[in-house]
Structures are given as C-alpha cells and as structure tokens.
C-alpha cells in the first residue's frame, strides 16, 4: 500500500510517501519538510494565522515534489493520511482539506492521524523496530508524556507535564537568556560549551512518587541565576549546560520509573527533544544498565514530518480503518480515545 502522508499541525509543512510493499529500509520512498522558522522569527514564536497561510502556499508544491521524488503519479497512491490533531485549527484544516480533496479525486481511502501517535510510531520505521508492549516518552515543544503502549492503538497515559513541556521550557529559557528564535536548539548547542556542575538546578518532582513533570520552576531558577550573574558568554554557556543537565536527568529518572511501573524494559523516545544528544546518551546508559533497550527515530524524523503520518496512516488503513469524506480536525485530542489496531496488524514488522 502506497500512502501519502501530510503533516500541518503547526509550523512545519511535511509530506511523505510510505510504501508498505517494500522492505523497511526502502519503504519511505520520499519525504520533505518545509520549516516556517524564518517566517515566525521576527515575532519570537508561531503566529497561527501566518502558519495557516504558509501551509496554503507550500503544501501543493511539496506534494508534487514528493510524488516526483518517489517516482509515482498521483493515481498510483492507495491512500492518504493527514494530521487531524492535536494542533492549530487553521493549520490542521489546510492539511485536512488538501488530503480529503486528493483522496476524493483519486477515489482512495483517507484517514486522519493523531499527531502524537505519529511521533510515537516514528521509531518503528527504523531497523529492528521494537514490538509492544513498551513505554514511550513523547517529548517535544508542545508535549511531555510517558505512555504505556500495550499494542499499537492501545495507549495508557502514565504521566505528563503539569505546565511547560520540555521543549517549551528549552525555548523559553533560551529566550530569557537572549538567544535567537527558535531557542531550544540554540540552547542545546550552547550547552555543549558549558562547564558541567558550575550551575546545578533542581530535578523537578523527582523527590516524590509519580510520573508527572513540571518545568516551570526550573525555568524560574535559570532566570534568577542569569539575572544575578555577570551575563558573560561563558556564564551563559554554563547556565545552559546546568539547565540541560537538569532536564535530561529529570526525563531519565521518570523514564526509569515508568519502565518499572509498566513492567517492561523497552523504551521508545520520540518528538523534537528526542534529537537532543545528551538525552540520547543518558537514556542509552540507563537502558544498558537495566539490560533493556531504548529506541529513537533518526534525527530527521524527530521533528514534525510527513513520514510519521504516512506510516501511522498506512498501519491503520491496512487494518481497514478510514474516515468519511468530511473535512474534520480535532485541535484537542486525547490519544487514549484512539481505536486499537486489529491484533494481527499490531506489529509494524510485517511489510506488504
């Protein structure tokens, strides 16, 4: 099954073609992402109306380019998948409208995909994919969640952030220290130059039971440390390192607790912060100590992209699931409400 995937939940326009009839290392036939970073940089954050308009401008040319790179004509597609939520309602409607129109014109099924399920399943596109049950850490600019995955489509929320998501905390901390937008990647890069241990911040909510997160207090600690410092470039790097170490340690501690609570030793990590090198190293170290494994998507599939939507959509379309012809999006959408796949469709190892 050849599935076109469209992602437009926020400020990236992503398009991909995933072919379940090919071997896993060849199944992603083409994918492209157009980022709106330059568009939103002067505002210091995403402006929803501008994001929607840019999706309108970029989506169809990106679809044409992706199909050409995949060596396919539109009529060779077997299905269309698109992000139906959660996300910015205007941006979601652009992707949904294009996807539903293509599906109607081509007379193929279409399905709306949950954005976070797309992230969660992205590591399953890699070689030697994990099979449920496992624990997933979904860590991005908008979400920080620990989810028990009993099988694909059957998810139990174990813990989530009570305030800022980890990626959001990275961005806000970078902004208060004067780093350019988008701040998170800039802060992580700066932290590589910092001296570990010069600034030590709290590991929030790790001194009590539970699997929820809170990063707003950590952000305040950094603000106070920066305000009272000499604000030199060296100090900026040292504070960035202290902040990153605090976030990474907190995530690792909670992940280990979640594995214990779920009674398994496989951890899947997805979302934009999943590309952070220090987090990857810390979680690899934890998994090796436990005799388990941790699985990540390739860095290019950590941020929002159409490949994860095409893959998640292909699994559901192959299981016989699809949506009606209406253009419908869900800006707020609880992943626990998703329908599970049929048991024989639960493992991504079966391709074609």
């Amino acid at each position: 099954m050849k599935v076109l995937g469209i992602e437009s939940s926020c400020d990236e326009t992503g398009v991909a073609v995933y072919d379940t009839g090919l071997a896993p290392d060849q199944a992603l036939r083409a994918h492209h992402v157009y980022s709106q970073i330059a568009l939103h940089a002067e505002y210091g954050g995403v402006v929803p109306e501008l994001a929607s308009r840019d999706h309108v401008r970029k989506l169809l040319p990106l679809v044409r380019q992706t199909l050409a790179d995949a060596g396919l004509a539109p009529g060779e597609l077997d299905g269309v998948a698109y992000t139906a939520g959660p996300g910015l309602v205007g941006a979601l409607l652009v992707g949904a409208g294009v996807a539903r129109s293509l599906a109607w014109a081509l007379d193929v099924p279409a399905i709306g995909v949950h954005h976070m399920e797309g992230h969660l399943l992205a590591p399953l596109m890699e070689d030697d994919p994990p099979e449920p049950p496992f624990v997933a850490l979904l860590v991005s600019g908008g979400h920080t969640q620990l989810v028990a995955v009993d099988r694909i489509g059957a998810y139990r929320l174990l813990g989530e952030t009570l305030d800022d998501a980890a990626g959001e905390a990275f961005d806000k901390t970078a902004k208060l220290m004067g780093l350019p937008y988008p701040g998170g990647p800039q802060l992580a890069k700066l932290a590589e130059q910092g001296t570990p241990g010069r600034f030590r911040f709290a590991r929030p909510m790790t001194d009590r039971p539970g699997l929820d997160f809170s990063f707003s207090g950590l952000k305040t600690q950094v603000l106070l440390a920066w305000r009272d410092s000499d604000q030199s470039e060296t100090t900026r790097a040292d504070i960035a390192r202290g902040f990153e170490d605090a976030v990474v340690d907190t995530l690792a501690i909670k992940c280990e607790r979640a594995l214990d609570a779920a009674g398994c030793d496989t951890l899947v990590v997805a979302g934009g912060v999943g590309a952070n090198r220090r987090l990857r190293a810390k979680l690899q170290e934890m998994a090796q100590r436990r005799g388990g494994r941790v699985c990540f998507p390739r860095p290019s599939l950590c941020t929002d992209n159409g490949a994860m939507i095409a893959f998640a959509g292909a699994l559901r379309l192959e299981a016989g699931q699809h949506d009606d012809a209406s253009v419908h999006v869900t800006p707020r959408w609880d992943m626990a409400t998703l329908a599970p796949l049929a048991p024989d469709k639960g493992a991504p190892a079966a391709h074609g």
Side-chain angles (χ1 to χ4, degrees):
M1 175 173 262
K2 294 176 281 294
V3 177
L4 179 76
I6 293 175
E7 155 61 23
S8 67
S9 64
C10 191
D11 62 335
E12 271 94 23
T13 311
V15 181
V17 173
Y18 192 87
D19 189 342
T20 63
L22 299 178
D25 61 342
Q26 300 175 331
L28 183 57
R29 295 183 59 153
H31 79 108
H32 291 283
V33 177
Y34 173 79
S35 174
Q36 300 177 2
I37 285 177
L39 175 66
H40 300 287
E42 65 177 294
Y43 305 100
V46 176
V47 181
E49 178 62 24
L50 295 181
S52 302
R53 292 179 184 181
D54 217 39
H55 287 308
V56 171
R57 284 190 289 265
K58 301 297 183 181
L59 186 49
L60 282 177
L62 210 59
V63 168
R64 295 189 188 99
Q65 180 183 354
T66 304
L67 286 173
D69 289 351
L72 294 172
E76 295 178 86
L77 293 172
D78 301 304
V80 181
Y82 60 95
T83 302
L88 302 175
V89 63
L92 291 168
L93 283 168
V94 174
V98 169
R100 289 291 347 169
S101 299
L102 281 171
W104 180 83
L106 299 172
D107 194 24
V108 297
I111 190 163
V113 172
H114 193 291
H115 178 78
M116 295 312 295
E117 182 178 49
H119 275 304
L120 187 154
L121 298 180
L124 279 62
M125 285 188 278
E126 305 300 337
D127 294 335
D128 190 22
E131 293 190 9
F134 54 76
V135 169
L137 171 66
L138 304 177
V139 57
S140 66
H143 298 81
T144 300
Q145 298 177 331
L146 284 163
V147 178
V149 179
D150 299 316
R151 59 192 177 99
I152 295 177
Y155 308 124
R156 292 181 290 116
L157 181 65
L158 300 176
E160 63 183 338
T161 184
L162 303 179
D163 41 58
D164 291 349
E168 182 182 6
F170 264 90
D171 289 338
K172 289 181 176 179
T173 299
K175 186 174 182 179
L176 68 86
M177 289 199 298
L179 295 175
Y181 175 86
Q186 300 281 347
L187 188 147
K189 183 177 180 180
L190 184 62
E192 296 177 3
Q193 306 168 27
T195 301
R198 181 184 171 199
F199 289 90
R200 180 172 175 81
F201 303 111
R203 277 55 177 162
M205 297 184 69
T206 58
D207 58 349
R208 68 190 79 174
L211 296 171
D212 288 331
F213 302 89
S214 172
F215 295 107
S216 62
L218 177 59
K219 183 181 61 184
T220 302
Q221 291 180 52
V222 173
L223 172 63
L224 295 175
W226 175 245
R227 187 190 65 186
D228 296 337
S229 74
D230 59 11
Q231 300 192 0
S232 66
E233 286 303 310
T234 298
T235 297
R236 195 198 309 261
D238 292 344
I239 291 177
R241 177 60 186 266
F243 169 81
E244 184 180 62
D245 284 345
V247 172
V248 166
D249 286 351
T250 300
L251 293 172
I253 290 167
K254 297 285 186 171
C255 283
E256 186 157 18
R257 288 184 186 175
L259 290 169
D260 290 339
C264 67
D265 282 312
T266 300
L267 176 69
V268 163
V269 182
V273 182
N276 182 281
R277 287 188 287 181
R278 193 158 283 116
L279 177 62
R280 287 186 173 226
K282 188 78 173 182
L283 293 178
Q284 289 280 15
E285 176 188 311
M286 181 267 289
Q288 290 173 4
R289 174 169 47 80
R290 294 173 58 95
R293 64 182 297 210
V294 58
C295 305
F296 303 91
R298 70 202 76 165
S300 64
L301 299 186
C302 285
T303 55
D304 294 350
N305 62 86
M308 68 184 191
I309 303 304
F311 177 68
L315 292 180
R316 291 192 172 274
L317 288 169
E318 283 198 323
Q321 299 178 15
H322 59 85
D323 295 331
D324 59 32
S326 62
V327 177
H328 178 73
V329 298
T330 309
R332 296 178 180 271
W333 190 0
D334 184 354
M335 198 163 63
T337 64
L338 294 175
L341 297 192
D344 61 335
K345 296 292 184 181
H351 290 263

